[in-house]
């Protein structure tokens, strides 16, 4: 039995051409949100099972690539066009040569995928619901049904989604929701990137059905809201090589610590460290676990006042170790005056 199950409906076959002194190098990998999350979970010592539809030639290649990485695959196989892309990075930037989101998942295949996800997810007890590449791959309501049924069966559910899929999952009920402030803006939940506006949107999502809400803010500290209140979490600023996949590494870090018994409030520091390291690499969802543990020691946490709450308290400021996170919730914890949600502390690029 795996520690974590990932619902990854349509993983992507990626072909990338890189420059090399001896000539062009061609790299073939499995990719997509669920794959990047699985890859980081493996780095952190967590067993992972991916539930996916594997389509046509690309699907057959993807199964081998995923299993070679150590990811268990429960795949629904079908014929047709699967998700894939070819990118050229020989000039130092990504140039798209060809890209295909793949064909929508049919009703019978979706029923089978739904069934194996429930079976595997209820066994592991912790499930990440990740999104497909294209908007038309599967109905958004699938996420509502899955979230509701998994939690009804006793599993915890983590989602990293946006748009209609986010709305559907929250309606079903989730334990942890991770979203970026850009996605909140694109979805019309905020009209500006101010701390106050983001906190208001987080509060609405929390009341709608998300137990813990985590919002990443590019280079600014991320924000967390749960039943105990708001936290601001700042990770070390490292030199950026590629920001893609940093948010998925953060989600994986949170899931890894939760699989080991931590609460989301405690686990967010591991997620922040994993996301901070990922930006230093071209490999998405990769990073040395010892380095991530070291970076976690440099993550700072402070409690923020909820300015719209009548019983809001002043923020707690200063560095807090992972072992000391629980103390933030104590009613007699020491508090200092702070700047609130719009403070200028620096955070990881997640």
């Amino acid at each position: 039995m795996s520690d974590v199950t990932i619902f990854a409906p349509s993983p992507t076959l990626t072909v990338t051409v890189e420059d090399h002194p001896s000539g062009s190098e061609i790299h073939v990998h499995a990719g997509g949100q669920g794959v990047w999350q699985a890859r980081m979970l493996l780095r952190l010592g967590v067993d992972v099972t991916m539930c996916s539809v594997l389509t046509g030639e690309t699907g057959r290649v993807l199964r081998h690539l995923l299993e070679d990485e150590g990811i268990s695959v429960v795949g629904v196989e079908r014929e047709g066009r699967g998700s894939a892309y070819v990118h050229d990075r020989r000039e130092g930037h990504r140039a798209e040569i060809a890209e295909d989101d793949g064909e929508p998942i049919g009703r019978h295949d979706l029923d089978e995928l739904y069934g194996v996800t429930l079976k595997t997810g209820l066994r592991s007890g912790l499930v990440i619901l990740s999104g497909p590449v294209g908007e038309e791959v599967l109905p958004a309501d699938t996420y509502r049904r899955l979230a509701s049924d998994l939690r009804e069966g006793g599993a915890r559910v983590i989602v990293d989604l946006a748009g209609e899929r986010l709305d559907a999952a929250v309606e079903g009920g989730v334990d942890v929701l991770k979203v970026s402030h850009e996605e909140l803006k694109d979805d019309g939940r905020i009209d500006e990137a101010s701390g106050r506006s983001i906190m208001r949107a987080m509060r609405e999502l929390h009341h709608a059905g998300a137990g813990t809400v985590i919002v990443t803010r590019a280079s600014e500290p991320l924000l967390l809201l749960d039943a105990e209140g708001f936290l601001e979490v700042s990770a070390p600023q490292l030199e950026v090589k590629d920001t893609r996949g940093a948010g998925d590494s953060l989600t994986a870090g949170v899931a890894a610590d939760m699989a080991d018994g931590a609460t989301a409030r405690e686990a967010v520091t591991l997620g922040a460290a994993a996301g901070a390291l990922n930006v230093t690499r071209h490999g998405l969802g990769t990073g040395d676990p010892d380095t991530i543990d070291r970076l976690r020691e440099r993550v700072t946490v402070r409690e923020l006042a909820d300015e719209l709450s009548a019983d809001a308290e002043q923020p707690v400021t200063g560095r807090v170790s992972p072992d000391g996170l629980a103390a933030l919730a104590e009613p007699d914890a020491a508090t200092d005056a702070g700047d609130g949600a719009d403070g200028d502390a620096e955070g990881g690029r997640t």
Side-chain angles (χ1 to χ4, degrees), residues 187-255:
D187 291 347
R189 292 185 178 274
I190 60 174
D191 53 14
E192 59 178 355
S194 70
R196 183 187 296 270
S197 178
I198 293 170
M199 291 170 75
R200 182 180 296 109
M202 293 172 70
R203 194 182 301 104
E204 291 171 354
L205 288 166
H206 178 62
H207 291 320
T212 298
V213 181
I214 298 172
V215 176
T216 58
R217 300 188 295 166
S219 61
E220 295 297 313
L222 69 85
L223 300 176
L224 177 146
L225 171 64
D226 60 11
E228 299 179 39
F230 284 96
L231 295 180
E232 180 186 77
V233 182
S234 303
Q237 291 270 20
L238 304 182
E239 292 294 322
V240 175
K241 189 72 171 179
D242 191 344
T243 60
R244 297 171 71 238
D248 298 316
S249 290
L250 185 152
T251 301
V254 171

Side-chain angles (χ1 to χ4, degrees), residues 121-295:
L122 293 179
R123 284 179 175 176
S124 68
L126 182 60
V127 184
I128 299 176
L129 302 183
S130 69
V133 173
E135 294 297 324
E136 306 301 323
V137 172
L138 77 169
D141 192 58
T142 306
Y143 290 90
R144 179 194 61 79
R145 296 169 52 226
L146 264 178
S148 178
D149 288 347
L150 284 165
R151 295 183 84 219
E152 183 68 21
R156 292 170 295 169
V157 176
I158 300 172
V159 300
D160 184 352
L161 301 168
E164 292 183 0
R165 293 191 283 266
L166 181 153
D167 293 335
V170 171
E171 182 181 349
V174 301
D175 294 274
V176 179
L177 163 66
K178 179 266 169 185
V179 65
S180 72
H181 81 278
E182 294 98 336
E183 290 166 332
L184 291 177
K185 190 169 184 179
D186 290 343
D187 291 347
R189 292 185 178 274
I190 60 174
D191 53 14
E192 59 178 355
S194 70
R196 183 187 296 270
S197 178
I198 293 170
M199 291 170 75
R200 182 180 296 109
M202 293 172 70
R203 194 182 301 104
E204 291 171 354
L205 288 166
H206 178 62
H207 291 320
T212 298
V213 181
I214 298 172
V215 176
T216 58
R217 300 188 295 166
S219 61
E220 295 297 313
L222 69 85
L223 300 176
L224 177 146
L225 171 64
D226 60 11
E228 299 179 39
F230 284 96
L231 295 180
E232 180 186 77
V233 182
S234 303
Q237 291 270 20
L238 304 182
E239 292 294 322
V240 175
K241 189 72 171 179
D242 191 344
T243 60
R244 297 171 71 238
D248 298 316
S249 290
L250 185 152
T251 301
V254 171
D257 219 21
M258 289 180 63
D260 197 36
T263 65
R265 174 171 278 241
E266 295 164 340
V268 71
T269 55
L270 181 61
L277 181 60
N278 192 90
V279 303
T280 68
R281 306 167 60 86
H282 272 316
L284 279 63
T286 61
D288 174 65
D290 291 336
T291 305
I292 291 172
D293 283 340
R294 292 280 185 142
L295 289 174

Side-chain angles (χ1 to χ4, degrees), residues 303 313 316 326-336:
E303 194 169 289
E313 303 215 356
V316 174
L328 286 174
E330 294 296 326
D332 60 347
T335 58
D336 297 311

Side-chain angles (χ1 to χ4, degrees), residues 53 76-78 104-115:
V53 171
V76 177
E77 297 184 357
R78 64 170 183 169
I105 300 174
R107 180 172 61 85
H108 295 296
D109 291 329
L110 184 56
D111 284 347
E112 188 174 350
L113 176 63
Y114 194 96

Side-chain angles (χ1 to χ4, degrees), residues 18 20 30 42 54 63 73 98 116-117 195 224 234 236 244 273 277 308 324 350:
E18 301 272 6
H20 190 272
L42 288 177
L54 302 173
R63 179 184 286 278
V73 180
V116 298
T117 302
L224 177 146
S234 303
R244 297 171 71 238
L277 181 60
L308 298 185
T350 53

